Amino acid sequence: SPRPGVADGALTLRPHPDLDLSRPTVHPSLMRRARTDLWIPAAVLALASGDSVAATARVERVVRVELARSDMVVVSAGPFTMGIDPSEVGNVQAACALAYGADELCVDPLFPIEKLGAREVWLDSFDIDRYEVTVRDFRACVAAGGCDVAALFAGDERYVADDTWPMVNVTWSDAGAYCSWNGKRLPTEAEWEKAARGTDGRIWPWGDFDRPDGANLGAVVPMVELELRRSQNKNWLPWFGVPDDSQDGYRYAAPVGAMLWSEGPHGTYDQAGNVAEWVADSYSADGYDGLPAVNPVRGAEPGERRRIVRGGSWLDPPLLGRTDVRYPPLGATSIYDGDRRHRHVGFRCAR
């Protein structure tokens, strides 16, 4: 029979003692951007208060709840494995030979895999941007007088035409200036890698298996083209790959965070592919040799202009999207001189 004060056809709902609806959680894959809508029946939402509620069985009203994701993620202090595990050296060398068309290009000094071996590194806690810095973000910095407008016009303007795309055509100094204006800095190479691979030594941000829909990467240069180019110039080297939209859906850069499966262990997106990213470290032919095991960062030697780039891009072969591989120096006068601008290199910030 109906309880006093409760109309016929009504239900009395009580929260289960083990159910906490005051802090609803959602798997990160459902929240691809900074804001996500959750639709929760009103009767269920009312249970979050912990009080008994009377609600008709025919409740159809829903309440819109917006969950805002932070712009940065926190990476806790502690150790992680940085570099290429010995069991993966053969796979990296094979992928390198496929990407660049010759085994001899995959050894020191062109691609010093042996100097990038796995080692344990300890880092203090830090924050890092969830997404790559967008064109919109950078325009705001220019408008405020904190960034050089040249980055918006000095390179190929087609690659900065959409405000949702990652900002490219920036020099290493441009990237640092933006981060500084925003109260941040460029991440060190070690910080960047820990954010991408976590503490379990994964090869890709999403795990140890390759998935083409996880990253907006390019493809290797077809062997026919390699042979044709080398017949015309025996010294020609395929430093880049070719754009490829056959599996990831984007021929060039994608809006940041568009690749849902690109999410890393700490909640960052696009650390494999989309655009490559400047980090704070200077390049050295010594690789990781000589760096401290606690909070390592490589400062520039006198006259050294090359900087480290990580993460792969829509223009690069898949090899460079791995969490354990840095870009090779690409010649004595590196393509990745910190003063150069590239249509496929952007950045994110840390603090």
Side-chain angles (χ1 to χ4, degrees):
S1 62
R3 293 178 55 192
V6 181
D8 290 342
L11 298 176
T12 298
L13 303 179
R14 298 178 185 274
H16 189 281
D18 295 330
L19 181 62
D20 180 10
L21 291 176
S22 64
R23 300 178 65 185
T25 59
V26 175
H27 188 275
S29 65
L30 298 180
M31 299 186 292
R32 60 181 291 180
R33 298 300 301 275
R35 178 167 291 173
T36 297
D37 298 339
L38 295 182
W39 296 95
I40 303 175
V44 175
L45 186 67
L47 290 175
S49 66
D51 298 329
S52 299
V53 297
T56 67
R58 296 185 300 276
V59 168
E60 295 179 356
R61 185 170 64 90
V62 294
V63 177
R64 177 174 174 171
V65 178
E66 294 183 342
L67 299 179
R69 303 197 78 181
S70 61
D71 292 334
M72 304 188 82
V73 303
V74 178
V75 181
S76 300
F80 84 106
T81 299
M82 182 178 184
I84 304 169
D85 187 86
S87 65
E88 282 296 312
V89 169
N91 292 332
V92 172
Q93 289 176 327
C96 178
L98 178 65
Y100 299 118
D103 291 334
E104 61 268 21
L105 299 182
C106 301
V107 296
D108 195 11
L110 291 177
F111 200 89
I113 295 173
E114 64 276 13
K115 294 181 180 178
L116 304 176
R119 66 196 192 105
E120 185 173 279
V121 170
W122 176 281
L123 295 179
D124 292 336
S125 176
F126 63 94
D127 299 341
I128 190 168
D129 286 347
R130 188 181 300 277
Y131 303 106
E132 293 162 327
V133 172
T134 65
V135 174
R136 179 185 293 112
D137 297 331
F138 197 85
R139 288 186 189 280
C141 181
V142 170
C147 293
D148 189 345
V149 71
L152 295 171
F153 302 102
D156 191 327
E157 295 180 35
R158 292 177 300 172
Y159 297 99
V160 293
D162 189 318
D163 278 353
T164 68
W165 289 348
M167 183 64 193
V168 293
N169 294 338
V170 288
T171 66
W172 182 80
S173 295
D174 287 337
Y178 171 88
C179 292
S180 179
W181 170 77
N182 214 15
K184 306 176 185 178
R185 56 176 173 77
L186 284 175
T188 67
E189 183 179 18
E191 289 173 337
W192 190 100
E193 185 166 325
K194 185 176 182 180
R197 74 187 311 192
T199 57
D200 56 6
R202 59 184 63 188
I203 298 171
W204 305 95
W206 54 83
D208 285 334
F209 58 94
D210 183 15
R211 57 176 309 141
D213 60 350
N216 178 19
L217 289 162
V220 299
V221 178
M223 187 57 66
V224 172
E225 182 176 345
L226 280 174
E227 294 175 350
L228 175 62
R229 294 285 191 96
R230 285 176 178 161
S231 69
Q232 299 168 341
N233 178 3
K234 66 178 182 179
N235 295 319
W236 181 82
L237 297 173
W239 291 136
F240 303 113
V242 292
D244 178 26
D245 61 356
S246 61
Q247 297 186 75
D248 57 51
Y250 296 94
R251 184 164 181 80
Y252 304 111
V256 300
M259 306 298 294
L260 291 183
W261 288 106
S262 74
E263 185 177 11
H266 297 284
T268 59
Y269 285 80
D270 298 322
Q271 285 198 264
N274 211 24
V275 297
E277 301 176 19
W278 293 114
V279 296
D281 296 57
S282 178
Y283 177 80
S284 170
D286 294 332
Y288 301 144
D289 292 351
L291 287 174
V294 178
N295 297 323
V297 57
R298 176 83 69 183
E301 297 292 332
E304 179 58 75
R305 302 168 65 90
R306 293 173 291 182
R307 298 294 184 264
I308 298 298
V309 173
R310 295 295 302 259
S313 78
W314 58 265
L315 185 60
D316 292 305
L319 164 69
L320 298 180
R322 291 177 54 123
T323 64
D324 55 356
V325 172
R326 64 157 60 162
Y327 275 57
L330 304 183
T333 56
S334 176
I335 292 173
Y336 298 112
D337 181 312
D339 291 333
R340 293 191 178 188
R341 304 179 188 275
H342 305 277
R343 57 181 173 164
H344 65 290
V345 178
F347 66 103
R348 73 181 70 216
C349 303
R351 66 182 177 203

